[in-house]
Short mmCIF file of all heavy atoms in Angstrom, two decimals:
data_model
loop_
_atom_site.label_atom_id
_atom_site.label_comp_id
_atom_site.label_asym_id
_atom_site.label_seq_id
_atom_site.Cartn_x
_atom_site.Cartn_y
_atom_site.Cartn_z
N GLY A 11 0.82 -1.10 0.01
CA GLY A 11 -0.01 0.08 0.03
C GLY A 11 0.77 1.32 0.01
O GLY A 11 0.25 2.35 0.13
N TRP A 12 2.11 1.19 -0.15
CA TRP A 12 3.00 2.39 -0.31
C TRP A 12 4.32 2.00 -1.00
O TRP A 12 4.60 2.55 -2.12
CB TRP A 12 3.34 3.06 1.02
CG TRP A 12 4.18 4.20 0.78
CD1 TRP A 12 3.61 5.50 0.48
CD2 TRP A 12 5.50 4.44 0.92
NE1 TRP A 12 4.66 6.39 0.21
CE2 TRP A 12 5.82 5.85 0.61
CE3 TRP A 12 6.60 3.54 1.33
CZ2 TRP A 12 7.20 6.25 0.63
CZ3 TRP A 12 7.85 4.05 1.22
CH2 TRP A 12 8.18 5.42 1.03
N LEU A 13 5.08 1.11 -0.46
CA LEU A 13 6.42 0.97 -0.94
C LEU A 13 6.37 0.36 -2.41
O LEU A 13 7.24 0.84 -3.29
CB LEU A 13 7.17 -0.23 -0.03
CG LEU A 13 8.54 -0.40 -0.42
CD1 LEU A 13 9.50 0.78 -0.07
CD2 LEU A 13 9.01 -1.62 0.47
N VAL A 14 5.48 -0.65 -2.70
CA VAL A 14 5.44 -1.09 -4.02
C VAL A 14 5.10 0.02 -5.04
O VAL A 14 5.59 0.12 -6.15
CB VAL A 14 4.39 -2.19 -4.21
CG1 VAL A 14 4.06 -2.57 -5.57
CG2 VAL A 14 4.92 -3.52 -3.30
N ALA A 15 4.10 0.85 -4.67
CA ALA A 15 3.72 1.95 -5.49
C ALA A 15 4.92 2.90 -5.85
O ALA A 15 5.11 3.36 -6.97
CB ALA A 15 2.54 2.77 -4.92
N GLN A 16 5.73 3.26 -4.83
CA GLN A 16 6.92 4.12 -5.07
C GLN A 16 7.84 3.46 -6.03
O GLN A 16 8.41 4.10 -6.86
CB GLN A 16 7.46 4.46 -3.74
CG GLN A 16 6.65 4.92 -2.61
CD GLN A 16 5.79 6.09 -3.08
OE1 GLN A 16 6.31 7.09 -3.57
NE2 GLN A 16 4.51 6.00 -2.94
N ALA A 17 8.12 2.21 -5.80
CA ALA A 17 9.10 1.59 -6.68
C ALA A 17 8.62 1.41 -8.25
O ALA A 17 9.27 1.58 -9.01
CB ALA A 17 9.30 0.05 -6.17
N GLN A 18 7.34 1.13 -8.32
CA GLN A 18 6.75 0.96 -9.61
C GLN A 18 6.58 2.26 -10.32
O GLN A 18 6.90 2.33 -11.57
CB GLN A 18 5.40 0.13 -9.51
CG GLN A 18 5.51 -1.25 -9.04
CD GLN A 18 6.42 -2.10 -10.04
OE1 GLN A 18 6.38 -2.05 -11.15
NE2 GLN A 18 7.34 -2.99 -9.19
N LEU A 19 6.13 3.26 -9.66
CA LEU A 19 6.13 4.57 -10.27
C LEU A 19 7.55 5.07 -10.80
O LEU A 19 7.62 5.56 -11.93
CB LEU A 19 5.46 5.60 -9.34
CG LEU A 19 3.92 5.43 -9.07
CD1 LEU A 19 3.56 6.24 -7.97
CD2 LEU A 19 3.15 5.68 -10.37
N ALA A 20 8.47 4.76 -9.97
CA ALA A 20 9.89 5.19 -10.36
C ALA A 20 10.31 4.46 -11.51
O ALA A 20 11.09 5.12 -12.44
CB ALA A 20 10.82 4.93 -9.22
N LYS A 21 9.83 3.27 -11.76
CA LYS A 21 10.32 2.42 -12.90
C LYS A 21 9.78 2.94 -14.17
O LYS A 21 10.38 2.88 -15.25
CB LYS A 21 9.88 1.01 -12.79
CG LYS A 21 10.66 0.15 -11.75
CD LYS A 21 10.23 -1.26 -11.76
CE LYS A 21 11.16 -2.13 -10.76
NZ LYS A 21 10.62 -3.56 -10.69
N VAL A 22 8.57 3.66 -14.14
CA VAL A 22 8.02 4.15 -15.28
C VAL A 22 8.15 5.80 -15.42
O VAL A 22 7.54 6.47 -16.25
CB VAL A 22 6.57 3.88 -15.42
CG1 VAL A 22 6.30 2.44 -15.50
CG2 VAL A 22 5.73 4.46 -14.25
N GLY A 23 9.15 6.29 -14.62
CA GLY A 23 9.56 7.62 -14.73
C GLY A 23 8.47 8.66 -14.10
O GLY A 23 8.43 9.84 -14.54
N ILE A 24 7.64 8.15 -13.14
CA ILE A 24 6.54 9.02 -12.58
C ILE A 24 6.99 9.23 -11.00
O ILE A 24 7.34 8.20 -10.28
CB ILE A 24 5.30 8.38 -12.58
CG1 ILE A 24 4.84 8.37 -14.06
CG2 ILE A 24 4.35 9.21 -11.84
CD1 ILE A 24 3.46 7.75 -14.27
N ASN A 25 6.91 10.42 -10.54
CA ASN A 25 7.11 10.63 -9.06
C ASN A 25 5.82 11.36 -8.61
O ASN A 25 4.87 11.75 -9.42
CB ASN A 25 8.35 11.43 -8.80
CG ASN A 25 8.32 12.82 -9.42
OD1 ASN A 25 7.35 13.54 -9.44
ND2 ASN A 25 9.54 13.26 -10.03
N THR A 26 5.72 11.59 -7.36
CA THR A 26 4.62 12.16 -6.74
C THR A 26 4.19 13.51 -7.44
O THR A 26 2.91 13.81 -7.48
CB THR A 26 4.85 12.49 -5.26
OG1 THR A 26 5.23 11.22 -4.67
CG2 THR A 26 3.54 12.89 -4.51
N SER A 27 5.10 14.30 -7.87
CA SER A 27 4.68 15.55 -8.40
C SER A 27 3.91 15.44 -9.79
O SER A 27 3.35 16.23 -10.28
CB SER A 27 5.96 16.51 -8.66
OG SER A 27 6.81 15.79 -9.73
N HIS A 28 4.19 14.29 -10.43
CA HIS A 28 3.39 13.86 -11.60
C HIS A 28 1.96 13.45 -11.55
O HIS A 28 1.28 13.38 -12.41
CB HIS A 28 4.19 12.84 -12.42
CG HIS A 28 5.60 13.27 -12.75
ND1 HIS A 28 6.69 12.54 -12.68
CD2 HIS A 28 6.04 14.51 -13.25
CE1 HIS A 28 7.79 13.09 -13.20
NE2 HIS A 28 7.41 14.26 -13.49
N LEU A 29 1.60 13.06 -10.34
CA LEU A 29 0.33 12.66 -10.05
C LEU A 29 -0.63 13.80 -9.67
O LEU A 29 -0.10 14.89 -9.13
CB LEU A 29 0.38 11.56 -8.82
CG LEU A 29 1.16 10.36 -8.94
CD1 LEU A 29 1.16 9.60 -7.67
CD2 LEU A 29 0.57 9.53 -10.15
N LYS A 30 -1.77 13.64 -9.96
CA LYS A 30 -2.82 14.76 -9.56
C LYS A 30 -2.88 14.83 -8.03
O LYS A 30 -2.91 15.82 -7.43
CB LYS A 30 -4.15 14.40 -10.12
CG LYS A 30 -5.21 15.53 -9.92
CD LYS A 30 -6.46 15.32 -10.63
CE LYS A 30 -7.46 16.48 -10.35
NZ LYS A 30 -8.72 16.15 -11.04
N ARG A 31 -3.01 13.57 -7.39
CA ARG A 31 -3.09 13.51 -5.91
C ARG A 31 -2.81 12.05 -5.47
O ARG A 31 -3.15 11.20 -6.22
CB ARG A 31 -4.42 14.11 -5.42
CG ARG A 31 -4.53 14.13 -3.96
CD ARG A 31 -5.84 15.00 -3.63
NE ARG A 31 -6.97 14.20 -3.97
CZ ARG A 31 -7.74 13.52 -2.99
NH1 ARG A 31 -7.28 13.40 -1.82
NH2 ARG A 31 -8.93 12.99 -3.49
N THR A 32 -2.25 11.93 -4.43
CA THR A 32 -2.33 10.56 -3.66
C THR A 32 -2.95 10.95 -2.19
O THR A 32 -2.77 11.88 -1.62
CB THR A 32 -0.90 9.89 -3.52
OG1 THR A 32 -0.15 10.89 -2.59
CG2 THR A 32 -0.18 9.89 -4.82
N PHE A 33 -3.50 9.86 -1.63
CA PHE A 33 -4.00 9.86 -0.35
C PHE A 33 -3.93 8.56 0.34
O PHE A 33 -4.05 7.50 -0.26
CB PHE A 33 -5.43 10.42 -0.22
CG PHE A 33 -6.42 9.63 -0.92
CD1 PHE A 33 -7.17 8.65 -0.24
CD2 PHE A 33 -6.81 9.78 -2.28
CE1 PHE A 33 -8.12 7.85 -0.83
CE2 PHE A 33 -7.76 9.06 -2.87
CZ PHE A 33 -8.41 8.09 -2.17
N PHE A 34 -3.82 8.53 1.58
CA PHE A 34 -3.87 7.29 2.43
C PHE A 34 -5.22 7.03 2.90
O PHE A 34 -5.94 7.79 3.52
CB PHE A 34 -2.89 7.41 3.68
CG PHE A 34 -1.40 7.28 3.23
CD1 PHE A 34 -0.57 8.54 3.32
CD2 PHE A 34 -0.89 6.22 2.67
CE1 PHE A 34 0.69 8.46 2.96
CE2 PHE A 34 0.49 6.24 2.40
CZ PHE A 34 1.24 7.37 2.41
N ALA A 35 -5.66 5.77 2.63
CA ALA A 35 -7.06 5.43 3.02
C ALA A 35 -7.03 4.67 4.29
O ALA A 35 -8.04 4.45 4.93
CB ALA A 35 -7.58 4.47 1.96
N HIS A 36 -5.89 4.33 4.86
CA HIS A 36 -5.65 3.77 6.11
C HIS A 36 -6.44 2.38 6.30
O HIS A 36 -7.30 2.16 7.06
CB HIS A 36 -6.14 4.78 7.27
CG HIS A 36 -5.35 6.01 7.36
ND1 HIS A 36 -4.04 5.96 7.67
CD2 HIS A 36 -5.70 7.30 7.06
CE1 HIS A 36 -3.58 7.30 7.57
NE2 HIS A 36 -4.55 8.05 7.05
N GLY A 37 -5.96 1.57 5.49
CA GLY A 37 -6.52 0.11 5.38
C GLY A 37 -6.76 -0.26 3.93
O GLY A 37 -7.18 0.46 3.11
N HIS A 38 -6.42 -1.47 3.69
CA HIS A 38 -6.44 -1.94 2.36
C HIS A 38 -7.99 -2.07 1.88
O HIS A 38 -8.31 -1.75 0.76
CB HIS A 38 -5.80 -3.26 2.12
CG HIS A 38 -4.33 -3.26 2.27
ND1 HIS A 38 -3.64 -2.58 1.27
CD2 HIS A 38 -3.50 -3.54 3.16
CE1 HIS A 38 -2.33 -2.75 1.53
NE2 HIS A 38 -2.28 -3.28 2.86
N ARG A 39 -8.83 -2.51 2.76
CA ARG A 39 -10.24 -2.48 2.45
C ARG A 39 -10.72 -1.00 2.05
O ARG A 39 -11.55 -0.86 1.19
CB ARG A 39 -11.07 -3.02 3.66
CG ARG A 39 -12.58 -3.07 3.38
CD ARG A 39 -13.24 -3.70 4.52
NE ARG A 39 -14.72 -3.59 4.33
CZ ARG A 39 -15.72 -4.06 5.13
NH1 ARG A 39 -15.26 -4.63 6.27
NH2 ARG A 39 -16.95 -4.01 4.87
N ASN A 40 -10.24 -0.08 2.77
CA ASN A 40 -10.50 1.36 2.49
C ASN A 40 -10.08 1.69 1.07
O ASN A 40 -10.73 2.63 0.49
CB ASN A 40 -10.04 2.24 3.54
CG ASN A 40 -10.71 1.98 4.85
OD1 ASN A 40 -11.83 1.54 5.04
ND2 ASN A 40 -10.03 2.44 5.85
N VAL A 41 -8.90 1.16 0.70
CA VAL A 41 -8.47 1.50 -0.65
C VAL A 41 -9.38 0.88 -1.70
O VAL A 41 -9.72 1.69 -2.70
CB VAL A 41 -7.00 0.80 -0.92
CG1 VAL A 41 -6.56 0.95 -2.32
CG2 VAL A 41 -5.95 1.45 0.01
N ALA A 42 -9.83 -0.25 -1.42
CA ALA A 42 -10.88 -0.79 -2.46
C ALA A 42 -12.16 0.05 -2.36
O ALA A 42 -12.73 0.33 -3.53
CB ALA A 42 -11.18 -2.22 -2.08
N ASP A 43 -12.58 0.42 -1.25
CA ASP A 43 -13.87 1.31 -1.16
C ASP A 43 -13.62 2.59 -1.88
O ASP A 43 -14.48 3.03 -2.64
CB ASP A 43 -14.08 1.54 0.26
CG ASP A 43 -14.61 0.37 1.08
OD1 ASP A 43 -15.15 -0.59 0.39
OD2 ASP A 43 -14.56 0.41 2.26
N ALA A 44 -12.45 3.14 -1.74
CA ALA A 44 -12.22 4.46 -2.38
C ALA A 44 -12.16 4.43 -3.88
O ALA A 44 -12.71 5.26 -4.71
CB ALA A 44 -10.85 5.11 -1.82
N VAL A 45 -11.56 3.36 -4.37
CA VAL A 45 -11.43 3.09 -5.88
C VAL A 45 -12.88 2.82 -6.40
O VAL A 45 -13.24 3.32 -7.41
CB VAL A 45 -10.43 2.02 -6.22
CG1 VAL A 45 -10.48 1.75 -7.69
CG2 VAL A 45 -9.04 2.45 -5.75
N ALA A 46 -13.66 1.93 -5.72
CA ALA A 46 -14.95 1.56 -6.16
C ALA A 46 -15.89 2.92 -6.18
O ALA A 46 -16.65 2.93 -7.04
CB ALA A 46 -15.58 0.52 -5.13
N ALA A 47 -15.59 3.73 -5.21
CA ALA A 47 -16.36 5.07 -5.18
C ALA A 47 -15.92 6.07 -6.14
O ALA A 47 -16.42 7.13 -6.16
CB ALA A 47 -16.44 5.52 -3.71
N ARG A 48 -14.87 5.75 -6.87
CA ARG A 48 -14.26 6.58 -7.88
C ARG A 48 -13.57 7.96 -7.15
O ARG A 48 -13.60 8.98 -7.81
CB ARG A 48 -15.13 7.01 -8.95
CG ARG A 48 -15.49 5.78 -9.97
CD ARG A 48 -16.59 6.09 -10.92
NE ARG A 48 -16.60 5.07 -12.03
CZ ARG A 48 -16.86 3.72 -11.95
NH1 ARG A 48 -17.28 3.28 -10.72
NH2 ARG A 48 -16.86 3.01 -13.04
N LEU A 49 -13.19 7.77 -5.95
CA LEU A 49 -12.48 8.86 -5.34
C LEU A 49 -11.01 8.80 -5.78
O LEU A 49 -10.24 9.75 -5.50
CB LEU A 49 -12.49 8.64 -3.70
CG LEU A 49 -13.92 8.73 -3.09
CD1 LEU A 49 -13.88 8.55 -1.70
CD2 LEU A 49 -14.52 10.03 -3.42
N ALA A 50 -10.65 7.65 -6.46
CA ALA A 50 -9.36 7.59 -6.99
C ALA A 50 -9.43 6.73 -8.22
O ALA A 50 -10.33 6.03 -8.46
CB ALA A 50 -8.37 6.76 -5.99
N HIS A 51 -8.47 7.14 -9.20
CA HIS A 51 -8.44 6.44 -10.51
C HIS A 51 -7.93 4.99 -10.28
O HIS A 51 -8.21 4.17 -11.18
CB HIS A 51 -7.49 7.20 -11.50
CG HIS A 51 -8.16 8.54 -11.95
ND1 HIS A 51 -7.61 9.69 -11.38
CD2 HIS A 51 -9.17 8.88 -12.73
CE1 HIS A 51 -8.28 10.75 -11.78
NE2 HIS A 51 -9.26 10.29 -12.68
N ALA A 52 -7.18 4.79 -9.26
CA ALA A 52 -6.57 3.52 -9.07
C ALA A 52 -6.13 3.36 -7.62
O ALA A 52 -6.01 4.39 -6.86
CB ALA A 52 -5.35 3.31 -10.02
N GLY A 53 -5.81 2.21 -7.18
CA GLY A 53 -5.28 1.89 -5.85
C GLY A 53 -4.30 0.89 -5.73
O GLY A 53 -4.39 -0.15 -6.42
N SER A 54 -3.33 1.11 -4.91
CA SER A 54 -2.24 0.06 -4.61
C SER A 54 -2.66 -0.71 -3.35
O SER A 54 -2.90 -0.17 -2.21
CB SER A 54 -0.86 0.71 -4.37
OG SER A 54 0.02 -0.27 -4.32
N ILE A 55 -2.92 -1.92 -3.52
CA ILE A 55 -3.57 -2.79 -2.41
C ILE A 55 -2.98 -4.22 -2.27
O ILE A 55 -2.38 -4.70 -3.20
CB ILE A 55 -5.18 -3.01 -2.84
CG1 ILE A 55 -5.99 -3.53 -1.72
CG2 ILE A 55 -5.22 -3.72 -4.06
CD1 ILE A 55 -7.42 -3.53 -1.94
#
């Protein structure tokens, strides 16, 4: 829910400044809820 995303984004040449926004949902289930509700375009889970 964080480390993998940082590593994978770096591999494709993207850092935090290239994203519109990131946020912590505080729980993987909450990540799924946020993506399902379209509060995020994607989620690392």
Side-chain angles (χ1 to χ4, degrees):
W12 182 78
L13 188 66
V14 167
Q16 307 311 304
Q18 293 303 317
L19 287 170
K21 284 184 179 180
V22 297
I24 295 176
N25 59 43
T26 303
S27 67
H28 296 137
L29 299 173
K30 182 176 182 180
R31 186 166 69 95
T32 64
F33 64 90
F34 289 109
H36 300 292
H38 291 287
R39 179 176 174 179
N40 294 338
V41 169
D43 288 339
V45 175
R48 289 172 165 70
L49 299 176
H51 295 101
S54 188
I55 190 172

